[in-house]
Amino acid sequence: MAGSMTSDRSPGAEEGRAGPLIVTEDAELLDDLLRLCAAAGAEPEVHHTVPERKASWEEAPLVLVGDDAAARCRGAARRRGVLLVGRDQDDPDVWRRAVEIGAESVLRLPDAESWLVDRIADAAEGVGRQAVTVGVIGGRGGAGASTLACALGVTAARAGRRTVLIDGDPLGGGLDVLFGGEQEAGRRWPDFAASKGRVAGGALEESLPRLHELRLLSWDRGDAVVVRPEAMRSVLAAARRGGGVVVVDLPRRVDEAVAEALAQLDVGLLVVPAELRAVAAARRVASMVGMVLRDLRVVVRGPYAPGLDDRWIADALRLPLVGELPLEPGLSDARDQGAMPPGARARGPLAGFCTAFWEQALAGDGSVVS
């Protein structure tokens, strides 16, 4: 393969993050690496030897050096993120060459393809702090979990946090309806339901409808589809990699896909109406959820049955109390008309509750605190 091929994108161009640097003159290996970069959603810069422009080597998020190019990369500046890649499974000198160029790993294709796709995608997207991820679950049907999930998303986005709201309940009717956004263009769960491999975080976010300054993954109006556990895991992991806040509205039943979602939560909020039957139902839900999620807290919704208060309910469930979910006059009418999602009234009691939750639940370093 004669000559040199370079990407016309520079670091920071367009969608912001540079792809990896590939150094090889092996046409077959280059084809493989380009294919893996495409699978990871990354656009690489390609050279046959160490680039003359030092920044190309030093600032690339990842450097993939082919076996054939290792000798030509001796003397290049030592840096993290250099991988030596080839196909010969029985090459006795590969580790010596890796040491000579300061490679942190030696990869043999095709065995390492899956791992390498993940590494390329992480490097291209940037590896920073993951999103604080909050799940909302109803203690019984009609508890108000979807209302709280929407309000948490809306208030987080209004405060300037990068926010993704995920509708994890296929039988809930679609959170996009609460936003009046069921006609908005963008991908829905059926587009991801059968996903098995990695989902690129940036591509996921850009593909979703943007409503009230947040990105929403909801359901469409078609026939029910089954979300594979692998799809739930991949989609949530992609959403979390972008940082900020992810809010997940979850059903009360715990199947394999819901268990995958619960495993990625930082905290769960169990919404419990203040009545004895709801408390009894919520105890069963908490028992199932608690097998996967360690940090589960209670939000109590009035009006209260005689003899009950929020502290009694939290004690009965043996869970920490977040507080009482306030009633908001006119919310039902606005929600039914799709005119205003829960939490959209910045001075409303629901927005006030959610704002206080975010202020108290997020530590200064972005972690969730009790």
Side-chain angles (χ1 to χ4, degrees), residues 12-40:
E14 278 197 279
E15 289 158 12
R17 299 187 178 99
L21 170 66
I22 297 175
V23 182
T24 185
E25 203 170 9
D26 183 330
E28 282 188 51
L29 179 61
L30 177 58
D31 285 343
D32 283 339
L33 293 177
L34 291 176
R35 172 174 54 82
L36 298 179
C37 285

PDB file of all heavy atoms in Angstrom, residues 12-40:
ATOM      1  N   GLY A  12     -10.783  17.816  18.156  1.00  0.00           N
ATOM      2  CA  GLY A  12     -11.722  18.872  18.478  1.00  0.00           C
ATOM      3  C   GLY A  12     -12.615  19.249  17.338  1.00  0.00           C
ATOM      4  O   GLY A  12     -13.490  20.090  17.473  1.00  0.00           O
ATOM      5  N   ALA A  13     -12.437  18.648  16.162  1.00  0.00           N
ATOM      6  CA  ALA A  13     -13.253  19.025  15.027  1.00  0.00           C
ATOM      7  C   ALA A  13     -14.629  18.409  15.141  1.00  0.00           C
ATOM      8  O   ALA A  13     -14.806  17.338  15.671  1.00  0.00           O
ATOM      9  CB  ALA A  13     -12.579  18.551  13.739  1.00  0.00           C
ATOM     10  N   GLU A  14     -15.598  19.094  14.586  1.00  0.00           N
ATOM     11  CA  GLU A  14     -16.975  18.629  14.485  1.00  0.00           C
ATOM     12  C   GLU A  14     -17.461  18.054  15.791  1.00  0.00           C
ATOM     13  O   GLU A  14     -17.688  18.745  16.751  1.00  0.00           O
ATOM     14  CB  GLU A  14     -17.109  17.626  13.349  1.00  0.00           C
ATOM     15  CG  GLU A  14     -17.250  18.293  12.015  1.00  0.00           C
ATOM     16  CD  GLU A  14     -17.771  17.351  10.984  1.00  0.00           C
ATOM     17  OE1 GLU A  14     -16.984  16.568  10.444  1.00  0.00           O
ATOM     18  OE2 GLU A  14     -18.984  17.421  10.721  1.00  0.00           O
ATOM     19  N   GLU A  15     -17.612  16.710  15.855  1.00  0.00           N
ATOM     20  CA  GLU A  15     -18.234  16.120  17.007  1.00  0.00           C
ATOM     21  C   GLU A  15     -17.275  16.052  18.178  1.00  0.00           C
ATOM     22  O   GLU A  15     -17.550  15.440  19.187  1.00  0.00           O
ATOM     23  CB  GLU A  15     -18.774  14.731  16.644  1.00  0.00           C
ATOM     24  CG  GLU A  15     -19.970  14.867  15.741  1.00  0.00           C
ATOM     25  CD  GLU A  15     -20.212  13.616  14.927  1.00  0.00           C
ATOM     26  OE1 GLU A  15     -19.606  12.575  15.227  1.00  0.00           O
ATOM     27  OE2 GLU A  15     -21.003  13.698  13.994  1.00  0.00           O
ATOM     28  N   GLY A  16     -16.072  16.629  18.021  1.00  0.00           N
ATOM     29  CA  GLY A  16     -15.296  16.985  19.173  1.00  0.00           C
ATOM     30  C   GLY A  16     -14.148  16.084  19.536  1.00  0.00           C
ATOM     31  O   GLY A  16     -13.122  16.555  19.922  1.00  0.00           O
ATOM     32  N   ARG A  17     -14.247  14.794  19.429  1.00  0.00           N
ATOM     33  CA  ARG A  17     -13.192  13.942  19.940  1.00  0.00           C
ATOM     34  C   ARG A  17     -12.502  13.216  18.799  1.00  0.00           C
ATOM     35  O   ARG A  17     -13.138  12.658  17.940  1.00  0.00           O
ATOM     36  CB  ARG A  17     -13.754  12.939  20.950  1.00  0.00           C
ATOM     37  CG  ARG A  17     -14.393  13.605  22.159  1.00  0.00           C
ATOM     38  CD  ARG A  17     -14.776  12.556  23.183  1.00  0.00           C
ATOM     39  NE  ARG A  17     -15.344  13.187  24.360  1.00  0.00           N
ATOM     40  CZ  ARG A  17     -16.638  13.278  24.591  1.00  0.00           C
ATOM     41  NH1 ARG A  17     -17.488  12.779  23.732  1.00  0.00           N
ATOM     42  NH2 ARG A  17     -17.089  13.858  25.679  1.00  0.00           N
ATOM     43  N   ALA A  18     -11.153  13.201  18.850  1.00  0.00           N
ATOM     44  CA  ALA A  18     -10.381  12.549  17.801  1.00  0.00           C
ATOM     45  C   ALA A  18     -10.476  11.044  17.937  1.00  0.00           C
ATOM     46  O   ALA A  18     -10.666  10.500  19.010  1.00  0.00           O
ATOM     47  CB  ALA A  18      -8.926  12.994  17.896  1.00  0.00           C
ATOM     48  N   GLY A  19     -10.320  10.369  16.798  1.00  0.00           N
ATOM     49  CA  GLY A  19     -10.255   8.915  16.812  1.00  0.00           C
ATOM     50  C   GLY A  19      -8.827   8.470  17.055  1.00  0.00           C
ATOM     51  O   GLY A  19      -7.912   9.278  17.238  1.00  0.00           O
ATOM     52  N   PRO A  20      -8.588   7.153  17.045  1.00  0.00           N
ATOM     53  CA  PRO A  20      -7.244   6.644  17.318  1.00  0.00           C
ATOM     54  C   PRO A  20      -6.289   6.900  16.158  1.00  0.00           C
ATOM     55  O   PRO A  20      -6.704   7.165  15.026  1.00  0.00           O
ATOM     56  CB  PRO A  20      -7.480   5.142  17.505  1.00  0.00           C
ATOM     57  CG  PRO A  20      -8.704   4.863  16.693  1.00  0.00           C
ATOM     58  CD  PRO A  20      -9.567   6.091  16.825  1.00  0.00           C
ATOM     59  N   LEU A  21      -4.995   6.788  16.443  1.00  0.00           N
ATOM     60  CA  LEU A  21      -3.953   6.826  15.431  1.00  0.00           C
ATOM     61  C   LEU A  21      -3.581   5.386  15.105  1.00  0.00           C
ATOM     62  O   LEU A  21      -3.312   4.591  16.004  1.00  0.00           O
ATOM     63  CB  LEU A  21      -2.738   7.581  15.959  1.00  0.00           C
ATOM     64  CG  LEU A  21      -1.458   7.499  15.104  1.00  0.00           C
ATOM     65  CD1 LEU A  21      -1.660   8.205  13.770  1.00  0.00           C
ATOM     66  CD2 LEU A  21      -0.268   8.082  15.869  1.00  0.00           C
ATOM     67  N   ILE A  22      -3.597   5.048  13.809  1.00  0.00           N
ATOM     68  CA  ILE A  22      -3.183   3.724  13.351  1.00  0.00           C
ATOM     69  C   ILE A  22      -1.859   3.866  12.612  1.00  0.00           C
ATOM     70  O   ILE A  22      -1.727   4.705  11.717  1.00  0.00           O
ATOM     71  CB  ILE A  22      -4.227   3.099  12.412  1.00  0.00           C
ATOM     72  CG1 ILE A  22      -5.557   2.884  13.154  1.00  0.00           C
ATOM     73  CG2 ILE A  22      -3.722   1.776  11.840  1.00  0.00           C
ATOM     74  CD1 ILE A  22      -6.680   2.379  12.255  1.00  0.00           C
ATOM     75  N   VAL A  23      -0.865   3.049  12.994  1.00  0.00           N
ATOM     76  CA  VAL A  23       0.428   3.060  12.320  1.00  0.00           C
ATOM     77  C   VAL A  23       0.687   1.652  11.784  1.00  0.00           C
ATOM     78  O   VAL A  23       0.972   0.721  12.537  1.00  0.00           O
ATOM     79  CB  VAL A  23       1.565   3.484  13.274  1.00  0.00           C
ATOM     80  CG1 VAL A  23       2.889   3.531  12.505  1.00  0.00           C
ATOM     81  CG2 VAL A  23       1.270   4.832  13.912  1.00  0.00           C
ATOM     82  N   THR A  24       0.563   1.498  10.483  1.00  0.00           N
ATOM     83  CA  THR A  24       0.816   0.197   9.853  1.00  0.00           C
ATOM     84  C   THR A  24       0.928   0.374   8.348  1.00  0.00           C
ATOM     85  O   THR A  24       0.379   1.326   7.785  1.00  0.00           O
ATOM     86  CB  THR A  24      -0.300  -0.823  10.168  1.00  0.00           C
ATOM     87  OG1 THR A  24       0.061  -2.092   9.620  1.00  0.00           O
ATOM     88  CG2 THR A  24      -1.628  -0.398   9.572  1.00  0.00           C
ATOM     89  N   GLU A  25       1.643  -0.558   7.703  1.00  0.00           N
ATOM     90  CA  GLU A  25       1.709  -0.602   6.250  1.00  0.00           C
ATOM     91  C   GLU A  25       1.157  -1.938   5.743  1.00  0.00           C
ATOM     92  O   GLU A  25       1.204  -2.222   4.555  1.00  0.00           O
ATOM     93  CB  GLU A  25       3.165  -0.419   5.791  1.00  0.00           C
ATOM     94  CG  GLU A  25       3.287   0.103   4.370  1.00  0.00           C
ATOM     95  CD  GLU A  25       4.724   0.513   4.037  1.00  0.00           C
ATOM     96  OE1 GLU A  25       5.637   0.228   4.841  1.00  0.00           O
ATOM     97  OE2 GLU A  25       4.912   1.119   2.969  1.00  0.00           O
ATOM     98  N   ASP A  26       0.633  -2.727   6.664  1.00  0.00           N
ATOM     99  CA  ASP A  26       0.032  -4.015   6.344  1.00  0.00           C
ATOM    100  C   ASP A  26      -1.412  -3.789   5.902  1.00  0.00           C
ATOM    101  O   ASP A  26      -2.273  -3.427   6.713  1.00  0.00           O
ATOM    102  CB  ASP A  26       0.088  -4.907   7.590  1.00  0.00           C
ATOM    103  CG  ASP A  26      -0.460  -6.306   7.346  1.00  0.00           C
ATOM    104  OD1 ASP A  26      -1.360  -6.460   6.498  1.00  0.00           O
ATOM    105  OD2 ASP A  26      -0.027  -7.245   8.046  1.00  0.00           O
ATOM    106  N   ALA A  27      -1.675  -3.969   4.615  1.00  0.00           N
ATOM    107  CA  ALA A  27      -2.994  -3.642   4.072  1.00  0.00           C
ATOM    108  C   ALA A  27      -4.110  -4.453   4.718  1.00  0.00           C
ATOM    109  O   ALA A  27      -5.193  -3.938   5.009  1.00  0.00           O
ATOM    110  CB  ALA A  27      -3.003  -3.864   2.555  1.00  0.00           C
ATOM    111  N   GLU A  28      -3.850  -5.750   4.957  1.00  0.00           N
ATOM    112  CA  GLU A  28      -4.885  -6.583   5.572  1.00  0.00           C
ATOM    113  C   GLU A  28      -5.163  -6.157   7.003  1.00  0.00           C
ATOM    114  O   GLU A  28      -6.318  -6.067   7.440  1.00  0.00           O
ATOM    115  CB  GLU A  28      -4.459  -8.056   5.539  1.00  0.00           C
ATOM    116  CG  GLU A  28      -4.641  -8.714   4.189  1.00  0.00           C
ATOM    117  CD  GLU A  28      -4.391 -10.220   4.293  1.00  0.00           C
ATOM    118  OE1 GLU A  28      -4.986 -10.855   5.185  1.00  0.00           O
ATOM    119  OE2 GLU A  28      -3.595 -10.727   3.499  1.00  0.00           O
ATOM    120  N   LEU A  29      -4.114  -5.900   7.768  1.00  0.00           N
ATOM    121  CA  LEU A  29      -4.286  -5.456   9.148  1.00  0.00           C
ATOM    122  C   LEU A  29      -4.995  -4.110   9.186  1.00  0.00           C
ATOM    123  O   LEU A  29      -5.884  -3.877  10.027  1.00  0.00           O
ATOM    124  CB  LEU A  29      -2.924  -5.362   9.847  1.00  0.00           C
ATOM    125  CG  LEU A  29      -2.963  -4.890  11.302  1.00  0.00           C
ATOM    126  CD1 LEU A  29      -3.777  -5.848  12.165  1.00  0.00           C
ATOM    127  CD2 LEU A  29      -1.538  -4.741  11.854  1.00  0.00           C
ATOM    128  N   LEU A  30      -4.640  -3.218   8.260  1.00  0.00           N
ATOM    129  CA  LEU A  30      -5.294  -1.910   8.213  1.00  0.00           C
ATOM    130  C   LEU A  30      -6.788  -2.071   7.945  1.00  0.00           C
ATOM    131  O   LEU A  30      -7.612  -1.404   8.582  1.00  0.00           O
ATOM    132  CB  LEU A  30      -4.652  -1.041   7.134  1.00  0.00           C
ATOM    133  CG  LEU A  30      -5.298   0.343   6.929  1.00  0.00           C
ATOM    134  CD1 LEU A  30      -5.283   1.151   8.222  1.00  0.00           C
ATOM    135  CD2 LEU A  30      -4.583   1.098   5.813  1.00  0.00           C
ATOM    136  N   ASP A  31      -7.138  -2.952   7.026  1.00  0.00           N
ATOM    137  CA  ASP A  31      -8.566  -3.178   6.755  1.00  0.00           C
ATOM    138  C   ASP A  31      -9.293  -3.636   8.011  1.00  0.00           C
ATOM    139  O   ASP A  31     -10.406  -3.184   8.308  1.00  0.00           O
ATOM    140  CB  ASP A  31      -8.737  -4.222   5.649  1.00  0.00           C
ATOM    141  CG  ASP A  31      -8.412  -3.671   4.268  1.00  0.00           C
ATOM    142  OD1 ASP A  31      -8.366  -2.427   4.131  1.00  0.00           O
ATOM    143  OD2 ASP A  31      -8.207  -4.472   3.342  1.00  0.00           O
ATOM    144  N   ASP A  32      -8.659  -4.531   8.762  1.00  0.00           N
ATOM    145  CA  ASP A  32      -9.277  -5.015   9.996  1.00  0.00           C
ATOM    146  C   ASP A  32      -9.443  -3.883  11.001  1.00  0.00           C
ATOM    147  O   ASP A  32     -10.495  -3.730  11.637  1.00  0.00           O
ATOM    148  CB  ASP A  32      -8.426  -6.124  10.631  1.00  0.00           C
ATOM    149  CG  ASP A  32      -8.579  -7.455   9.914  1.00  0.00           C
ATOM    150  OD1 ASP A  32      -9.599  -7.630   9.211  1.00  0.00           O
ATOM    151  OD2 ASP A  32      -7.689  -8.305  10.054  1.00  0.00           O
ATOM    152  N   LEU A  33      -8.416  -3.068  11.169  1.00  0.00           N
ATOM    153  CA  LEU A  33      -8.473  -1.990  12.154  1.00  0.00           C
ATOM    154  C   LEU A  33      -9.475  -0.916  11.750  1.00  0.00           C
ATOM    155  O   LEU A  33     -10.170  -0.354  12.604  1.00  0.00           O
ATOM    156  CB  LEU A  33      -7.080  -1.393  12.353  1.00  0.00           C
ATOM    157  CG  LEU A  33      -6.055  -2.330  13.004  1.00  0.00           C
ATOM    158  CD1 LEU A  33      -4.696  -1.654  13.089  1.00  0.00           C
ATOM    159  CD2 LEU A  33      -6.517  -2.771  14.389  1.00  0.00           C
ATOM    160  N   LEU A  34      -9.568  -0.631  10.462  1.00  0.00           N
ATOM    161  CA  LEU A  34     -10.566   0.335  10.005  1.00  0.00           C
ATOM    162  C   LEU A  34     -11.981  -0.187  10.260  1.00  0.00           C
ATOM    163  O   LEU A  34     -12.881   0.566  10.638  1.00  0.00           O
ATOM    164  CB  LEU A  34     -10.371   0.641   8.520  1.00  0.00           C
ATOM    165  CG  LEU A  34      -9.117   1.432   8.152  1.00  0.00           C
ATOM    166  CD1 LEU A  34      -9.008   1.569   6.636  1.00  0.00           C
ATOM    167  CD2 LEU A  34      -9.113   2.810   8.808  1.00  0.00           C
ATOM    168  N   ARG A  35     -12.161  -1.487  10.048  1.00  0.00           N
ATOM    169  CA  ARG A  35     -13.471  -2.089  10.316  1.00  0.00           C
ATOM    170  C   ARG A  35     -13.821  -1.996  11.795  1.00  0.00           C
ATOM    171  O   ARG A  35     -14.960  -1.664  12.160  1.00  0.00           O
ATOM    172  CB  ARG A  35     -13.451  -3.558   9.867  1.00  0.00           C
ATOM    173  CG  ARG A  35     -14.690  -4.357  10.261  1.00  0.00           C
ATOM    174  CD  ARG A  35     -14.650  -5.759   9.659  1.00  0.00           C
ATOM    175  NE  ARG A  35     -13.436  -6.476   9.982  1.00  0.00           N
ATOM    176  CZ  ARG A  35     -13.227  -7.123  11.127  1.00  0.00           C
ATOM    177  NH1 ARG A  35     -14.176  -7.121  12.065  1.00  0.00           N
ATOM    178  NH2 ARG A  35     -12.102  -7.770  11.345  1.00  0.00           N
ATOM    179  N   LEU A  36     -12.861  -2.238  12.675  1.00  0.00           N
ATOM    180  CA  LEU A  36     -13.115  -2.163  14.110  1.00  0.00           C
ATOM    181  C   LEU A  36     -13.370  -0.726  14.558  1.00  0.00           C
ATOM    182  O   LEU A  36     -14.205  -0.479  15.433  1.00  0.00           O
ATOM    183  CB  LEU A  36     -11.942  -2.761  14.884  1.00  0.00           C
ATOM    184  CG  LEU A  36     -11.661  -4.249  14.624  1.00  0.00           C
ATOM    185  CD1 LEU A  36     -10.462  -4.718  15.428  1.00  0.00           C
ATOM    186  CD2 LEU A  36     -12.881  -5.094  14.928  1.00  0.00           C
ATOM    187  N   CYS A  37     -12.670   0.212  13.944  1.00  0.00           N
ATOM    188  CA  CYS A  37     -12.922   1.625  14.261  1.00  0.00           C
ATOM    189  C   CYS A  37     -14.337   2.020  13.852  1.00  0.00           C
ATOM    190  O   CYS A  37     -15.036   2.736  14.583  1.00  0.00           O
ATOM    191  CB  CYS A  37     -11.903   2.519  13.562  1.00  0.00           C
ATOM    192  SG  CYS A  37     -10.257   2.481  14.313  1.00  0.00           S
ATOM    193  N   ALA A  38     -14.761   1.551  12.686  1.00  0.00           N
ATOM    194  CA  ALA A  38     -16.118   1.858  12.240  1.00  0.00           C
ATOM    195  C   ALA A  38     -17.148   1.274  13.195  1.00  0.00           C
ATOM    196  O   ALA A  38     -18.153   1.915  13.520  1.00  0.00           O
ATOM    197  CB  ALA A  38     -16.336   1.314  10.828  1.00  0.00           C
ATOM    198  N   ALA A  39     -16.891   0.062  13.696  1.00  0.00           N
ATOM    199  CA  ALA A  39     -17.810  -0.563  14.643  1.00  0.00           C
ATOM    200  C   ALA A  39     -17.876   0.218  15.944  1.00  0.00           C
ATOM    201  O   ALA A  39     -18.909   0.237  16.621  1.00  0.00           O
ATOM    202  CB  ALA A  39     -17.385  -2.001  14.923  1.00  0.00           C
ATOM    203  N   ALA A  40     -16.782   0.878  16.291  1.00  0.00           N
ATOM    204  CA  ALA A  40     -16.738   1.658  17.527  1.00  0.00           C
ATOM    205  C   ALA A  40     -17.215   3.095  17.325  1.00  0.00           C
ATOM    206  O   ALA A  40     -17.272   3.867  18.286  1.00  0.00           O
ATOM    207  CB  ALA A  40     -15.311   1.671  18.073  1.00  0.00           C
TER     208      ALA A  40
END
